[in-house]
């Protein structure tokens, strides 16, 4: 293998790890946000213009 092949493989591995990390963070954020949210609390802020 020449140097270009090694660089391309290394970059591909970095991209795969970054995509996996982002997917992991997004999925764990969904799980944590469901636990932190109180049952009667809505997503809108209390200072919304409609109230």
């Amino acid at each position: 293998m020449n140097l270009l092949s090694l660089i391309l493989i290394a970059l591909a591995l970095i991209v795969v790890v970054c995509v996996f990390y982002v997917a992991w963070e997004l999925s764990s954020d969904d799980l944590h946000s469901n636990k932190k949210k109180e049952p009667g609390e809505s997503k809108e802020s209390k200072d919304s213009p409609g109230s």
Side-chain angles (χ1 to χ4, degrees):
M1 280 196 208
N2 58 12
L3 185 60
L4 181 61
S5 298
L6 294 175
I7 291 172
L8 289 175
I9 291 171
L11 287 176
L13 288 174
I14 290 170
V15 168
V16 168
V17 169
C18 289
V19 168
F20 180 76
Y21 176 75
V22 168
W24 182 275
E25 285 295 315
L26 288 175
S27 65
S28 66
D29 186 38
D30 288 343
L31 295 175
H32 293 313
S33 66
N34 289 339
K35 291 180 182 176
K36 289 180 183 176
K37 184 181 174 190
E38 296 192 13
E41 188 179 339
S42 66
K43 290 185 178 180
E44 295 180 8
S45 66
K46 295 180 181 177
D47 298 329
S48 63
S51 58

